[in-house]
Amino acid sequence: MFQRRRRDRIVCALAALALPRPSRCILSASSTSMDLSPAAKIFLSGRLAKIRTEVGRSLSASSRTAAGGGGRFTAIFPGAGGPDVLTKELRSAVLAQDPDGGLVEEIDWTRHRGSPITAGFDSGAVGEGCADWLLSGDVGPDAVHGIGISVGAFAADAFVRRCAEELPAGTHVHLTLLDPFCGLGIADPGYGGRRFG
């Protein structure tokens, strides 16, 4: 009996992590573009802030300078398994489609991946960190394209939403999701359908 009650309390606590907030956060350097429940904020905000900061530090300044020189910047966010042969092929195809030689970054976020329960949240923080990095340059690109694969869809969505908010009007911002993972945590399997459309 005791074990069952304890298990039920744990399941309820984990479920509370993924319940969406009634209203969206306003995007800023200290907040998140993801809808976090109050419980998720308590349990995950420190971890997500750390991920966001580490991602910005891990991307090179030379790439940011190239991305800020006008032209197109494309960020590819693979799934939780990280980059593979198919993401490399995708990168080559994207480069071949841009005659002006836009910059394409494949974002390996596997070291920031937590458990299957937090993967969507972690991925979103990676996308926000990538946007922080891109937006910290003096000049932004003319076009931004975020490509998310599987759970990387959360990263691409967060990246593109932040860029759309912060880059000057007229900057083309595009989101592509390939086989997007749509569940956020364990209690919100329909998040992606509502968020990604």
Side-chain angles (χ1 to χ4, degrees):
M1 180 75 130
F2 173 74
Q3 289 294 337
R4 181 177 172 185
R5 276 193 238 159
R6 182 171 178 233
R7 186 189 71 223
D8 290 346
R9 281 194 304 259
I10 291 170
V11 169
C12 287
L14 291 174
L17 287 176
L19 295 176
R21 285 186 8 180
S23 63
R24 285 215 164 103
C25 290
I26 295 173
L27 297 174
S28 73
S30 62
S31 70
T32 177
S33 65
M34 299 181 73
D35 294 328
L36 297 178
S37 70
K41 281 185 180 179
I42 291 168
F43 291 110
L44 296 174
S45 62
R47 173 183 170 71
L48 299 180
K50 181 179 175 190
I51 290 171
R52 189 172 172 174
T53 302
E54 287 178 2
V55 167
R57 287 186 193 145
S58 69
L59 295 167
S60 75
S62 61
S63 292
R64 183 178 56 239
T65 301
R72 173 183 290 276
F73 175 74
T74 302
I76 300 173
F77 299 94
D84 59 16
V85 174
L86 296 175
T87 57
K88 303 249 183 270
E89 185 178 323
L90 175 62
R91 183 178 190 280
S92 296
V94 170
L95 283 168
Q97 297 248 331
D98 190 351
D100 298 329
L103 181 64
V104 179
E105 286 281 339
E106 197 174 348
I107 311 299
D108 182 359
W109 61 280
T110 53
R111 69 180 220 151
H112 303 293
R113 176 188 70 220
S115 71
I117 294 171
T118 65
F121 297 107
D122 299 337
S123 177
V126 167
E128 290 171 346
C130 190
D132 291 343
W133 166 81
L134 182 65
L135 296 167
S136 67
D138 293 334
V139 179
D142 297 330
V144 173
H145 186 184
I147 302 174
I149 304 163
S150 185
V151 75
F154 293 104
D157 180 56
F159 171 70
V160 165
R161 285 179 186 271
R162 177 99 192 284
C163 288
E165 288 272 330
E166 307 253 346
L167 287 171
T171 303
H172 179 77
V173 181
H174 186 80
L175 173 65
T176 302
L177 302 177
L178 303 172
D179 192 22
F181 184 81
C182 293
L184 184 61
I186 58 175
D188 197 0
Y191 178 88
R194 289 189 315 277
R195 180 73 176 217
F196 307 143

